[in-house]
Amino acid sequence: MACCGDEPEPQEGVVIKRKCRDVICLVFFIAFWAGMFIICGLAFAQGDYDRLVYGTDSYGFTCGKKTTFRNATLDLSNRKELYFLNPLALLNVLDIEFAKAVCVESCPKTPVCDYKSLPCTNGDMYRCPYYRFAEDNLYGKLPNVSDLSVSYYRMLPSATIPASNVTTKFLQGVGSLPWVSNWMNTYNISSTSATLNGYYLQLQSQFPGLGPCYPVFASTESYFHRCFPQFPPGITDGLIEIKDKVANALPANATKTFTDVWNDVEHRWARYVGDISKGFAIILVGGLAGGVVFSLVWMIILRYLAGFMAWITILLVNVACLGITLFSFSMAGMLGSNEFTNKINTVVEIESIEEEQWKWIGVGAAIVTGIVFLVTLLMLSRVKVAVACIKVASQAVGAMPSILLFPLLPFIFEAGLVVYWIFVTAELYSAGDLTATCRTSSNSVGLTLSSLKNISSDTWMNVLQGGSSTNSSCYSNLSGDELQAACGADPNCFVSYKWNSKLRWAFLYHFFGLLWTNQVIVGFSCVTIAGAVGSYYWHRGDSSRMPTFPVLVAMKNTLIYHMGSICFGAFLVAVIQFIRFLLDYLDRKTRELQAQNKFAEWAMCCVKCCMWCLEKIVMFINKNAYIMVGVKGTSYCVSAGRAVALIVQNALRLITVNFVGDILIFLGKVGVAAGCGLIAFGMSEISYYNDPTKYPDTYLASPVLCVAISVITGFVVAQIFFSVYDMAIDTIILAFCEDCESNGGNPRYAPPLLMEAMGMAATSKVAPAPAPAK
């Protein structure tokens, strides 16, 4: 039942009576998934998916949820949109996390504060922090305002605050603005007063980031439940003009860069995303239906024209290598007249490469051409066998058409695994301990009135590119409600949920589960297809002697007898992939060290390269081991050993088949994807999608995303269909090699097409085919 010590079955052909293999590995896999479900429970107990969907505000409250603060219930159930009070802070990468935000029922659209006609006195043009956390100690000073209100601008006049140095400097700075002078005179505001009335707070609120409330200068749209501003043209000029009264002007190109960031990137991407729903029919017809039709057409072409296409491919490879060699020598001036070279240079500017360099390029190309030509000569006698294997694989698929639908089952398993993993990961990612992160004031270069003063071009570029930061944890002496209140009121602090060590280990376990289970599904598909196609080969291509439902029989054998072997092989690949993931993580974390130490950089590169090669080798061995498991029913170790022996003994034959088969299948995938792209592009050009007047609801801003998704969908569909074909080819050639090795080089069970390719159709001593499985 375990791997070691298992002996292969002596029976030739497809083994009918089988035993359970590598059961210990299957038990270990089941136990591992028990741990996966424990992590799932932990994630759902500590995490909250709504934190990712709706976001959290500056106080750590999840939008769209009820929460508790200081024994009081705060109901945010109807507030599922996250609104950033000062949208200008979003332009700085470093400021995004620190941008103060509140949960609102809907993103503010109208009315908006017109920057050309300040002051704005309509209270609907402002949004404020929750009254429970109001700035300037306003909580409790305004009548009839609920704790979660964010629209109390019009109530500010009822409050009074003491004057300070800050207020004095502010009034002196903006006093030169005519409308500010009128405001101060109207409401008796003076920089020499001991106390100031609430109209001063309204005046402060005209300038984003300085008052208790923030003006809505632009309409906002909801993207993934985040309110992003839709800045109208020229608004930044107006805002900067206002700030110029109390700060030096920005560089001449600042406003252009500012509007480019929002209008060109944010808006264009939003329009493209909106095109997906409008062009769903394009994706369905061009990508999905087109992918199925083109895949079936290509498989029919391979069935009848595989030989022609194989020989044409080999010829084109040799001609291309020879052409590159002659071209290089011509550019080096070694083929007589330079007339050809001069004509080339008039079309393509490649004069920067000197003749001496072209000479060595030509030498290298000549060596490659010679090797390719010699390999072609060695392969000629085996190309007929390769073509025959491809044709027999086509016959096998044709004899059991249901095998084309089989990939849908592992596809469903894969989709279920990915959906499960993503949801658990989302819950796990949103879990953690509530912590505060702070920055020093000098690290903030956000676009506020104070930070714009004396701003330079270099500083402006830091704003757009992110600058540098030395953020660190803070308020470690506080927790819970006190931490939320303190950090929410601090403009240089934000709260977030961060993983503890337990959650980090849980994620690594969960991630390895994804890798291992994915490889188990791949192995299940390989063993099932190999068992069904192997049955066709070992019955000499006579479908009447095969089981009535060969795919179902192979699937039954896989599920009952060979899941342990599949878990074993999948575990090996998953471990290597997991190590590669850790190496990539280590590589990213040590970039600065590697930049200072070239040996460390070289060593990391070598280790990653070796692990990549090891993964490819193990996956190749796995694939062939699964074929032997599906056909012979032996354990993983025995199957892998036998597969490696056959690969070594028949290297040239296998290389030829894989080379020809892989090229034809790759061309098929590219052809299917291109065909789907053409259909999608053609559909997008009809008036239903490009006439905004007649069909405004389906008008596409650009067909790019719909066509791209159609191409990707077509490629995925082709991948599903051709994976069956690819596995069938590998099964046929390995079964053929096994047949030859077991019978002294003379295959006894090969289908007639393969026998004919070997020149043995008339002379071969044919063995009786094994009895079909019931």
Side-chain angles (χ1 to χ4, degrees):
M1 293 175 68
C3 178
C4 301
D6 190 14
E7 294 296 332
E9 297 287 347
Q11 179 181 345
E12 287 188 328
V14 177
V15 175
I16 306 302
K17 296 182 179 180
R18 302 183 178 228
K19 299 178 181 178
C20 293
R21 308 291 186 182
D22 302 316
V23 178
I24 295 177
C25 298
L26 178 60
V27 172
F28 182 57
F29 180 72
I30 294 174
F32 184 90
W33 259 94
M36 291 280 285
F37 286 126
I38 293 175
I39 289 177
C40 177
L42 174 68
F44 278 86
Q46 297 189 15
D48 187 351
Y49 180 66
D50 288 340
R51 292 173 188 163
L52 303 181
V53 176
Y54 302 117
T56 57
D57 59 23
S58 298
Y59 309 95
F61 302 144
T62 303
C63 296
K65 305 276 286 189
K66 288 185 177 180
T67 188
T68 302
F69 180 79
R70 292 178 179 171
N71 299 322
T73 299
L74 303 179
D75 190 359
L76 298 173
S77 303
N78 296 325
R79 302 188 181 191
K80 297 183 178 181
E81 305 292 340
L82 188 67
Y83 176 72
F84 299 96
L85 294 172
N86 183 11
L88 296 179
L90 301 180
L91 292 182
N92 180 8
V93 176
L94 294 181
D95 275 348
I96 290 177
E97 291 180 318
F98 294 93
K100 295 305 179 183
V102 294
C103 302
V104 295
E105 293 184 4
S106 61
C107 296
K109 295 183 181 297
T110 56
V112 297
C113 180
D114 187 355
Y115 62 92
K116 296 179 181 179
S117 57
L118 291 177
C120 298
T121 57
N122 187 342
D124 294 332
M125 297 178 180
Y126 293 85
R127 294 296 182 274
C128 319
Y130 303 128
Y131 179 57
R132 184 66 182 81
F133 304 95
E135 299 174 5
D136 297 313
N137 296 318
L138 286 177
Y139 182 64
K141 298 179 181 179
L142 305 180
N144 302 320
V145 179
S146 63
D147 283 2
L148 290 179
S149 175
V150 294
S151 302
Y152 48 84
Y153 171 85
R154 58 173 53 91
M155 303 300 296
L156 292 178
S158 60
T160 58
I161 63 170
S164 65
N165 290 334
V166 174
T167 58
T168 300
K169 289 181 179 179
F170 169 76
L171 292 174
Q172 291 173 350
V174 299
S176 60
L177 292 171
W179 64 268
V180 173
S181 298
N182 293 335
W183 184 287
M184 294 173 64
N185 293 330
T186 302
Y187 298 111
N188 298 319
I189 299 174
S190 172
S191 59
T192 60
S193 301
T195 60
L196 297 172
N197 57 40
Y199 289 104
Y200 167 77
L201 298 177
Q202 289 188 335
L203 174 62
Q204 272 191 317
S205 298
Q206 306 291 323
F207 302 89
L210 293 183
C213 294
Y214 296 76
V216 180
F217 277 122
S219 176
T220 58
E221 292 289 341
S222 175
Y223 298 115
F224 305 104
H225 296 283
R226 274 71 171 173
C227 299
F228 287 100
Q230 312 295 298
F231 287 115
I235 188 173
T236 49
D237 295 307
L239 292 176
I240 291 168
E241 181 182 353
I242 295 171
K243 291 172 173 53
D244 284 348
K245 302 298 181 179
V246 289
N248 293 333
L250 291 175
N253 65 341
T255 56
K256 182 180 183 303
T257 308
F258 182 91
T259 52
D260 286 347
V261 170
W262 287 101
N263 296 329
D264 289 351
V265 178
E266 195 70 46
H267 292 187
R268 184 178 300 176
W269 177 247
R271 291 194 295 268
Y272 285 179
V273 171
D275 286 342
I276 296 178
S277 59
K278 296 179 182 178
F280 182 74
I282 295 177
I283 299 171
L284 189 65
V285 175
L288 192 60
V292 172
V293 172
F294 286 133
S295 296
L296 292 175
V297 169
W298 188 261
M299 294 176 72
I300 294 173
I301 292 174
L302 287 182
R303 169 66 180 85
Y304 294 102
L305 298 176
F308 173 77
M309 297 179 68
W311 288 111
I312 287 295
T313 301
I314 293 173
L315 178 62
L316 289 177
V317 170
N318 281 270
V319 170
C321 291
L322 181 61
I324 293 173
T325 302
L326 295 177
F327 173 79
S328 301
F329 283 133
S330 175
M331 298 302 294
M334 300 175 65
L335 296 181
S337 174
N338 286 333
E339 182 179 352
F340 174 75
T341 302
N342 294 332
K343 289 182 178 180
I344 292 294
N345 282 328
T346 59
V347 179
V348 183
E349 297 182 1
I350 50 179
E351 295 178 346
S352 58
I353 302 180
E354 299 177 356
E355 290 188 354
E356 184 68 18
Q357 293 174 310
W358 278 115
K359 172 185 174 182
W360 289 108
I361 293 174
V363 171
I367 294 173
V368 173
T369 301
I371 294 174
V372 170
F373 184 71
L374 291 175
V375 171
T376 301
L377 292 178
L378 293 173
M379 287 169 50
L380 287 178
S381 60
R382 295 173 175 83
V383 171
K384 289 182 64 178
V385 177
V387 172
C389 285
I390 295 173
K391 290 184 175 181
V392 170
S394 299
Q395 291 178 338
V397 172
M400 47 184 120
S402 61
I403 201 171
L404 290 175
L405 300 177
F406 170 75
L408 294 177
L409 182 61
F411 177 77
I412 292 173
F413 290 158
E414 287 280 8
L417 172 66
V418 171
V419 170
Y420 168 84
W421 193 85
I422 289 176
F423 271 99
V424 175
T425 301
E427 292 288 342
L428 200 61
Y429 182 80
S430 63
D433 302 325
L434 190 65
T435 58
T437 303
C438 290
R439 64 183 174 187
T440 58
S441 298
S442 59
N443 288 335
S444 173
V445 287
L447 297 176
T448 62
L449 182 65
S450 57
S451 65
L452 281 170
K453 191 171 185 178
N454 299 320
I455 194 169
S456 65
S457 298
D458 293 337
T459 306
W460 174 259
M461 293 309 298
N462 272 340
V463 169
L464 296 179
Q465 298 174 1
S468 59
S469 176
T470 55
N471 300 340
S472 59
S473 297
C474 56
Y475 295 107
S476 56
N477 59 323
L478 301 178
S479 63
D481 297 343
E482 301 305 321
L483 174 64
Q484 292 172 280
C487 187
D490 187 345
N492 294 308
C493 177
F494 74 92
V495 291
S496 60
Y497 292 87
K498 292 189 176 181
W499 283 353
N500 51 39
S501 59
K502 180 174 66 175
L503 291 174
R504 291 190 184 95
W505 285 110
F507 174 77
L508 291 176
Y509 188 100
H510 184 59
F511 179 70
F512 183 78
L514 172 69
L515 300 178
W516 192 6
T517 308
N518 173 65
Q519 289 302 315
V520 168
I521 295 173
V522 171
F524 167 76
S525 178
C526 291
V527 173
T528 301
I529 295 174
V533 176
S535 175
Y536 178 85
Y537 178 92
W538 293 103
H539 288 95
R540 299 199 305 275
D542 187 357
S543 57
S544 64
R545 298 184 60 83
M546 293 170 57
T548 306
F549 302 104
V551 179
L552 290 179
V553 171
M555 191 187 306
K556 179 205 72 174
N557 290 337
T558 302
L559 289 172
I560 295 177
Y561 302 111
H562 304 308
M563 288 305 298
S565 300
I566 293 171
C567 292
F568 192 166
F571 179 78
L572 298 178
V573 177
V575 168
I576 296 173
Q577 290 177 336
F578 188 72
I579 294 174
R580 288 192 63 202
F581 167 78
L582 295 179
L583 285 174
D584 286 336
Y585 177 79
L586 182 62
D587 184 25
R588 290 194 299 270
K589 290 295 184 179
T590 58
R591 288 289 169 82
E592 294 184 2
L593 175 64
Q594 294 179 43
Q596 300 172 2
N597 189 332
K598 291 299 179 182
F599 176 78
E601 183 179 3
W602 175 84
M604 177 61 71
C605 182
C606 289
V607 172
K608 291 176 65 176
C609 180
C610 290
M611 291 305 301
W612 179 86
C613 293
L614 180 61
E615 179 186 354
K616 296 302 177 184
I617 292 171
V618 173
M619 291 180 71
F620 178 74
I621 293 175
N622 254 12
K623 186 177 183 180
N624 290 279
Y626 289 151
I627 293 174
M628 300 305 296
V629 169
V631 174
K632 295 297 183 182
T634 50
S635 69
Y636 177 83
C637 290
V638 173
S639 299
R642 181 57 179 159
V644 170
L646 290 174
I647 292 170
V648 172
Q649 294 165 5
N650 300 271
L652 286 177
R653 183 178 289 165
L654 288 168
I655 290 173
T656 305
V657 174
N658 285 329
F659 173 76
V660 175
D662 289 348
I663 286 182
L664 296 182
I665 289 176
F666 175 75
L667 291 176
K669 293 176 183 178
V670 174
V672 170
C676 292
L678 287 175
I679 292 178
F681 183 75
M683 290 183 64
S684 67
E685 288 299 304
I686 63 178
S687 60
Y688 185 70
Y689 292 108
N690 65 11
D691 189 342
T693 303
K694 193 174 181 181
Y695 303 102
D697 294 336
T698 56
Y699 172 71
L700 300 178
S702 172
V704 171
L705 202 58
C706 290
V707 173
I709 294 178
S710 298
V711 170
I712 295 172
T713 303
F715 189 87
V716 171
V717 171
Q719 180 78 24
I720 292 173
F721 276 92
F722 292 157
S723 65
V724 174
Y725 208 91
D726 184 38
M727 195 66 193
I729 294 173
D730 290 339
T731 301
I732 294 295
I733 185 60
L734 202 63
F736 178 73
C737 294
E738 168 74 10
D739 195 5
C740 291
E741 293 296 324
S742 300
N743 296 285
N746 298 316
R748 301 178 64 195
Y749 296 94
L753 197 59
L754 264 177
M755 300 290 282
E756 182 181 349
M758 292 287 292
M760 303 174 60
T763 60
S764 186
K765 181 179 179 180
V766 179
K774 302 297 183 183

